[in-house]
């Protein structure tokens, strides 16, 4: 074999090897990044255990402000807080509700009230609630079995994110409540419909002008991420796995408060049979401003979390439209939020308060 032939063979082997290595490198670059194995010292295990404990605590304490699931006793003011019904704070408030007074000639038993309650917690798009003044404690509470009440009251919410209370909803409230009062032989005193509808429209206008739901998007600038890779990095920023697939939350410091931030990624990827092969190119971090107390510093934490995750995962922070968000843009958003917080507090509806969360729901 001549030196030329030998050289060509060697060159061919080198070229083939180079092509194979290049293809392997390209393939590895295109595969989603995976979560790293836990360190031998158990640090990652301890972090995951702490996250699991935090999530369990969050699930146990997260408030539930009611739903439209149908019959039964109206929910407690903060049902997830594990308060006993006797200590639960009433939901009704003149600032947010149109309230009707219900009086009786004699005491009314809690069992009778519970039996006569309407079979829904909503009228149209508005929740309504019934409370009684406990004979023994003189405190307003949701009706309870075995208790007696001197008088009762009912209210329907004036406004929420579905809009203001209208004449049809108010009329249906009157009809339902009158049937409830007749069943218990109560005298019902209703507020003026036109006055309450006008209050509802004014409150809705205020809410519409002071509502804010912010969202940052973190987009991959190089390789995609697997759900496990994203979850691992988000856990280091304090996020814990949420109740829904593709959702993580940053719990609040105050027990029973709403999550400070919500991290959301594609549900289909979260439910993939092989999560290591599922590819994510972006995820969002959302702040529902009226639901989170100002003291939690939610926007500062949102900004820090988004930038930290973008740096550690080789991504960039953008708005919903894909436009990069720089320091100046984030500073302007932060300044605007301070003005919004001031306006909510001036209206006695501070961010994160139960009434505020009801209004912006």
């Amino acid at each position: 074999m001549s030196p030329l032939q030998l050289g060509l063979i060697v060159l061919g082997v080198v070229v083939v090897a180079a092509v194979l290595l290049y293809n392997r490198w390209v393939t590895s670059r295109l595969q989603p990044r995976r979560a790293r194995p836990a360190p031998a010292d158990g640090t990652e295990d301890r972090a995951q255990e702490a996250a699991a404990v935090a999530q369990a605590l969050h699930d146990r304490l997260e408030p539930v402000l009611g739903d439209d699931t149908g019959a039964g006793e109206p929910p407690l003011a903060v049902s997830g807080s594990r308060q006993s019904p006797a200590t639960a704070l009433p939901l009704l408030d003149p600032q947010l509700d149109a309230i009707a007074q219900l009086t009786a000639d004699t005491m009314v038993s809690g069992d009778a009230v519970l039996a006569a309650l309407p079979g829904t917690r909503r009228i149209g798009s508005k929740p309504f609630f019934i409370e009684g003044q406990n004979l023994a404690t003189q405190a307003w509470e949701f009706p309870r079995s075995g208790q007696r009440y001197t008088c009762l009251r009912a209210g329907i919410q004036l406004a929420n994110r579905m809009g203001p209370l209208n004449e049809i909803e108010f009329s249906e409230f009157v009809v339902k409540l009158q049937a409830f009062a007749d069943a218990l032989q109560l005298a019902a005193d209703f507020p003026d419909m036109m006055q309450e509808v006008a209050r509802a429209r004014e409150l809705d206008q205020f809410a519409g002008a002071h509502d804010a739901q912010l969202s940052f998007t973190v987009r991959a600038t190089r390789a995609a991420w697997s759900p496990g890779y994203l979850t691992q990095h988000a856990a280091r920023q304090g996020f814990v796995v949420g109740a829904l697939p593709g959702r993580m939350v940053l719990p609040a410091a105050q027990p029973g408060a709403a999550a400070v931030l919500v991290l959301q990624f594609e549900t289909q990827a979260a439910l993939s049979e092989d999560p290591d092969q599922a590819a994510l190119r972006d995820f969002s971090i959302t702040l529902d401003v009226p639901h989170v107390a100002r003291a939690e510093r939610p926007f500062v934490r949102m900004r820090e979390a988004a930038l930290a995750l973008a740096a550690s995962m080789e991504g960039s922070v953008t708005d919903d439209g894909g436009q990069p968000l720089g320091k100046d843009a984030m500073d302007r958003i932060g300044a605007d939020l301070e003005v919004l917080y001031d306006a909510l507090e001036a209206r006695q509806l501070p961010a994160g308060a139960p009434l505020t969360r009801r209004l912006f729901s």
Side-chain angles (χ1 to χ4, degrees):
M1 182 178 296
S2 67
L4 177 59
Q5 291 175 320
L6 181 61
L8 290 175
I9 291 174
V10 172
L11 179 60
V13 171
V14 170
V15 171
V16 171
V19 170
L20 291 174
L21 289 173
Y22 175 77
N23 287 339
R24 184 176 180 181
W25 177 78
V26 169
T27 301
S28 65
R29 292 272 296 174
L30 294 176
Q31 286 183 338
R33 296 185 178 182
R34 304 176 183 179
R36 295 179 180 178
D41 63 358
T43 302
E44 193 72 20
D45 289 338
R46 290 194 295 272
Q48 291 177 355
E49 181 181 356
V53 172
Q55 176 59 24
L57 182 63
H58 171 75
D59 289 341
R60 181 170 63 86
L61 295 176
E62 187 172 10
V64 177
L65 295 181
D67 52 34
D68 194 20
T69 54
E73 183 177 354
L76 301 182
V78 187
S79 62
S81 67
R82 298 300 187 248
Q83 299 181 50
S84 67
T87 61
L89 297 176
L91 279 176
L92 294 179
D93 188 286
Q95 186 177 4
L96 189 56
D97 301 294
I99 300 176
Q101 302 294 331
L102 304 169
T103 56
D105 295 333
T106 59
M107 297 300 105
V108 181
S109 73
D111 296 277
V113 174
L114 293 174
L117 283 177
T120 179
R121 300 170 187 168
R122 285 184 176 272
I123 295 176
S125 63
K126 305 300 181 293
F128 78 94
F129 312 94
I130 295 177
E131 298 173 340
Q133 189 171 30
N134 191 293
L135 176 63
T137 66
Q138 293 300 300
W140 288 96
E141 64 183 27
F142 289 104
R144 294 185 294 138
S145 177
Q147 302 299 310
R148 292 191 298 169
Y149 299 96
T150 56
C151 58
L152 294 99
R153 63 187 181 187
I156 184 168
Q157 192 164 314
L158 292 172
N160 57 16
R161 280 176 171 159
M162 300 297 291
L165 178 73
N166 58 45
E167 291 87 346
I168 295 176
E169 290 171 328
F170 187 92
S171 298
E172 188 175 346
F173 168 65
V174 171
V175 171
K176 283 184 179 293
L177 196 58
Q178 188 63 62
F180 170 79
D182 291 343
L184 295 175
Q185 297 183 338
L186 304 173
D189 181 16
F190 295 98
D192 180 74
M193 180 179 72
M194 299 311 297
Q195 181 179 344
E196 296 305 303
V197 169
R199 287 208 304 138
R201 290 172 180 165
E202 188 278 330
L203 182 60
D204 179 67
Q205 290 176 355
F206 170 84
H210 297 87
D211 200 357
Q213 295 170 285
L214 301 179
S215 181
F216 287 170
T217 299
V218 180
R219 303 181 186 276
T221 54
R222 298 181 65 181
W225 314 302
S226 70
Y229 184 82
L230 169 56
T231 301
Q232 189 175 65
H233 280 263
R236 293 170 185 160
Q237 299 300 319
F239 287 89
V240 296
V241 177
L244 300 176
R247 177 186 172 99
M248 301 183 73
V249 296
L250 185 65
Q254 181 67 32
V260 177
L261 302 173
V262 175
L263 185 154
Q264 194 87 28
F265 59 93
E266 188 180 354
T267 303
Q268 186 175 354
L271 296 174
S272 174
E273 293 182 2
D274 188 357
D276 283 339
Q277 296 302 317
L280 296 170
R281 299 294 307 179
D282 59 62
F283 62 89
S284 65
I285 299 177
T286 303
L287 165 61
D288 196 339
V289 177
H291 281 247
V292 184
R294 192 178 197 173
E296 293 279 1
R297 300 169 55 250
F299 180 71
V300 172
R301 297 168 71 180
M302 180 182 187
R303 179 175 181 169
E304 291 174 347
L307 292 174
L309 289 170
S312 65
M313 299 173 63
E314 296 189 33
S316 61
V317 182
T318 72
D319 60 18
D320 291 340
Q323 296 299 314
L325 286 172
K327 179 180 182 300
D328 291 343
M330 291 188 181
D331 287 344
R332 287 194 297 271
I333 295 172
D336 290 342
L337 286 183
E338 292 303 314
V339 175
L340 187 149
Y341 285 130
D342 290 340
L344 290 175
E345 291 171 5
R347 184 71 185 236
Q348 297 183 346
L349 289 167
L355 284 183
T356 312
R357 293 179 61 190
R358 272 217 287 145
L359 174 59
F360 294 95
S361 64

